[in-house]
Amino acid sequence: MKTRIDALIGAIAGDIIGSPYEFNGLTDVARFKPFGLHSRYTDDTVLSIAIAEWLSNPGTQLQDYLVRYARTYYWVGYGGMFLRWSRKRNPQPYNSYGNGSAMRVSAVGCWAKNVEEAMQLAEESALPTHNHPEGIKGAQAIAVAIVLGRQGKSKEEIKTELLRLFDYDLSMSYEDLLKKGYAFHVTCQETVPPALICFFDSNSYEECIVKAMLTNKDTDTAAAVAGAVAGAFYGIPEAIREEALAHLTQELKAVVDNFETLLTKEA
């Protein structure tokens, strides 16, 4: 059964499942098993949960949460620019268009009541660091796709709305993506459209994240971004939900649990 928090759980699970394959990529699909020995949460999960806590406390400043989480969970593999930003006395946006804005936006898609609110909150979630137009757009596109998936829209309806709002090329097939070659992509422009295409070409949450991992050697982020949309659309299998949450610290899980409680009250 789908729940309103499934996009956040989908991003967390995708991050953890994709983490062992980062840089080298997923090379042996036949032997692939989710949640292997070296699976762990990374910065994708930590910052996604930071945004969930920010949304849970209206009127607070997102930058404070991002900085606090980055300094508390300092070992989880942040990008160099974000890590330096988080250590400054007075951090300022650094015009990033990296895929970090899209990887951390899933809670916005869970929270927003409609496309307009998703657009606004996704921009707010990106601005402390990713104030480049492409960074903002990447976050907005994923948040909008999540809201539409939650609302029960068809894939064709989701694609039509994304094409209306954003100038992404979503015309390629999954096979076209594979023909482009397997590389490590870290920008929104190179991460968000392929993640969406993998979602459109999938039949389940699990299939979507595996396909995303096969198009980008930044496997944890590719799976987190695609997994957020797939989670909202398909729901999360209970075994995957339980395993993903079991990988979190008690403190991180408490934030997720509180966020889910607030979402349930608003439903």
Side-chain angles (χ1 to χ4, degrees):
M1 182 180 70
K2 289 204 308 182
T3 68
R4 191 165 167 181
I5 200 174
D6 280 349
L8 175 59
I9 303 300
I12 292 170
D15 173 42
I16 295 169
I17 291 169
S19 61
Y21 307 97
E22 189 177 19
F23 301 112
N24 293 324
L26 176 59
T27 56
D28 190 349
V29 179
R31 299 178 64 184
F32 167 74
K33 292 183 179 180
F35 303 110
L37 179 63
H38 301 291
S39 298
R40 62 181 181 88
Y41 65 83
T42 77
D43 56 327
D44 303 46
T45 290
V46 169
L47 298 183
S48 296
I49 294 175
I51 288 181
E53 186 173 1
W54 165 63
L55 291 167
S56 302
N57 294 277
T60 56
Q61 297 298 312
L62 173 57
Q63 177 173 299
D64 296 339
Y65 293 94
L66 296 177
V67 169
R68 174 163 60 83
Y69 274 69
R71 293 178 181 180
T72 302
Y73 298 90
Y74 53 85
W75 64 87
V76 293
Y78 303 102
M81 292 177 68
F82 179 86
L83 191 60
R84 289 190 292 273
W85 173 88
S86 70
R87 291 174 174 174
K88 291 181 179 179
R89 183 170 299 178
N90 182 28
Q92 297 295 316
Y94 49 89
N95 204 36
S96 176
Y97 49 85
N99 56 23
S101 60
M103 82 183 186
R104 72 189 191 207
V105 79
S106 55
V108 167
C110 299
W111 185 268
K113 297 179 180 64
N114 50 50
V115 167
E116 292 73 25
E117 186 177 17
M119 292 281 285
Q120 174 195 336
L121 289 175
E123 180 174 5
E124 291 180 31
S125 78
L127 283 176
T129 52
H130 292 61
N131 57 326
H132 188 283
E134 292 291 343
I136 294 169
K137 182 173 74 172
Q140 288 178 322
I142 297 303
V144 167
I146 291 169
V147 168
L148 295 174
R150 276 180 40 219
Q151 292 176 345
K153 301 296 185 183
S154 69
K155 288 182 180 179
E156 194 57 42
E157 289 172 318
I158 295 172
K159 182 184 287 189
T160 298
E161 183 69 356
L162 291 173
L163 292 173
R164 183 183 74 83
L165 292 170
F166 310 104
D167 59 354
Y168 284 135
D169 180 5
L170 301 177
S171 63
M172 285 191 296
S173 67
Y174 174 66
E175 287 70 25
D176 291 332
L177 289 178
L178 294 180
K179 290 175 185 176
K180 290 181 66 178
Y182 202 16
F184 190 86
H185 301 297
V186 297
T187 67
C188 275
Q189 304 94 297
E190 296 170 311
T191 301
V192 171
L196 291 169
I197 290 168
C198 289
F199 160 66
F200 291 131
D201 199 68
S202 67
N203 293 296
S204 67
Y205 173 82
E206 301 96 312
E207 181 185 358
C208 177
I209 61 170
V210 170
K211 284 187 170 182
M213 291 164 61
L214 290 170
T215 63
N216 187 350
K217 288 186 178 181
D218 189 5
T219 48
D220 56 333
T221 297
V225 174
V229 181
F233 186 84
Y234 297 116
I236 304 295
E238 193 58 33
I240 290 179
R241 180 191 307 272
E242 292 178 0
E243 190 69 36
L245 293 175
H247 277 73
L248 302 181
T249 65
Q250 290 184 352
E251 293 80 7
L252 291 173
K253 188 175 183 302
V255 175
V256 174
D257 288 344
N258 181 63
F259 186 61
E260 184 168 23
T261 297
L262 293 173
L263 292 174
T264 302
K265 287 180 180 179
E266 286 201 356

